[in-house]
Amino acid sequence: GWGHTGDVRRGQSITVHQAEALLALDIGIAAAAVNRHVEAPLSQNMFDALVSFTFNFGEKRLAGSTLLKKLNLGDYAGAADELLRWNKGTVNGRKVALRGLTKRREAERALFLSGAIS
């Protein structure tokens, strides 16, 4: 499935229908996490960007992030910029910026800012 990691076994295969069902479940979990932790008003685009981030990195990372702290203080621009910091993965035992994660975070930031609350 698309990013699903729970209960996955090596060599496992699933149908497109099963993958779509898992994606819907995982997005629901991420959306609920955003609703639990974000206190600041959000536009739909901001919410969607945060759900994408949370789907990728998980509720615990959202909950403990500077991104969330800035957002809940009303620092929308600062929160958007914090998304860009989450672009690293481990390669050969070292944290390095990954092209795919960099592009994803840039897209989430752009989506977040496109729905800015005035």
Side-chain angles (χ1 to χ4, degrees):
W2 294 278
H4 181 77
T5 57
D7 68 352
V8 175
R9 299 178 314 279
R10 181 179 294 271
Q12 178 182 3
S13 63
I14 59 175
T15 67
V16 170
H17 178 70
Q18 290 169 315
E20 289 172 349
L22 288 171
L23 178 61
L25 176 68
D26 290 342
I27 288 172
I29 291 168
V34 170
N35 283 327
R36 258 191 303 281
H37 295 287
V38 174
E39 299 167 1
L42 296 175
S43 70
Q44 187 64 55
N45 286 1
M46 292 171 153
F47 179 80
D48 292 347
L50 292 171
V51 169
S52 175
F53 171 82
T54 305
F55 171 82
N56 190 221
F57 274 105
E59 180 174 2
K60 286 183 183 181
R61 288 191 174 130
L62 171 68
S65 70
T66 301
L67 183 162
L68 181 66
K69 289 177 184 129
K70 288 184 177 187
L71 180 58
N72 283 338
L73 289 172
D75 181 2
Y76 292 98
D81 289 344
E82 284 295 316
L83 285 166
L84 300 177
R85 297 183 62 213
W86 293 85
N87 68 337
K88 296 180 183 56
T90 304
V91 177
N92 296 324
R94 295 183 46 210
K95 291 284 186 185
V96 297
L98 300 177
R99 184 172 180 236
L101 282 180
T102 298
K103 289 176 77 172
R104 181 176 181 152
R105 296 291 94 81
E106 288 170 351
E108 289 166 348
R109 181 179 181 273
L111 179 61
F112 186 93
L113 290 173
S114 73
I117 293 177
S118 50

